[in-house]
Amino acid sequence: MLKRNQKKKLIIFIQYSKSIYLDEFIKNNLYLTFNPNIISFTSTIKKADIIISDVFEELNEQQQVFYLDNPYDLNSWNDLILFISNQLL
């Protein structure tokens, strides 16, 4: 969907506590939307540029957090895609 001239990928950490399977669901859907050359995922929160979580937390000020309560809600997905797109600009 989006192509970036920058070499650095946007690194995403997913912290979803309601189900361990939803992490992969979210990752796969984001890879369907965004080019894998511009986003990647990490299992280390400190390495992430953005965090997708179902929990409200105060984290590092340099990391943007997107609260995703319901990963099956279309409006939530639209908001998430817009959030990531803005981070890529």
Side-chain angles (χ1 to χ4, degrees):
M1 179 177 138
L2 291 175
K3 292 184 180 181
R4 241 177 24 164
N5 292 330
Q6 298 176 7
K7 292 182 182 179
K8 184 181 174 199
K9 290 183 177 186
L10 183 67
I11 302 171
I12 302 169
F13 177 81
I14 298 175
Q15 175 181 297
Y16 211 83
S17 62
K18 295 178 183 173
S19 169
I20 59 171
Y21 301 107
L22 285 176
D23 284 9
E24 289 302 315
F25 173 78
I26 295 167
K27 286 179 189 178
N28 290 334
N29 280 304
L30 288 176
Y31 273 140
L32 290 172
T33 305
F34 295 97
N35 186 328
N37 293 325
I38 62 172
I39 66 168
S40 66
F41 297 93
T42 183
S43 58
T44 308
I45 197 166
K46 290 182 180 182
K47 293 182 181 179
D49 298 314
I50 65 170
I51 298 163
I52 300 170
S53 180
D54 64 338
V55 179
F56 283 113
E57 295 185 10
E58 288 296 322
L59 300 167
N60 186 333
E61 291 177 7
Q62 296 173 329
Q63 295 170 315
Q64 298 291 319
V65 179
F66 183 86
Y67 177 70
L68 182 65
D69 183 47
N70 181 359
Y72 299 108
D73 177 57
L74 183 59
N75 290 326
S76 294
W77 271 103
N78 289 335
D79 292 342
L80 177 58
I81 290 168
L82 181 61
F83 174 78
I84 293 173
S85 296
N86 287 331
Q87 300 300 314
L88 291 168
L89 297 176

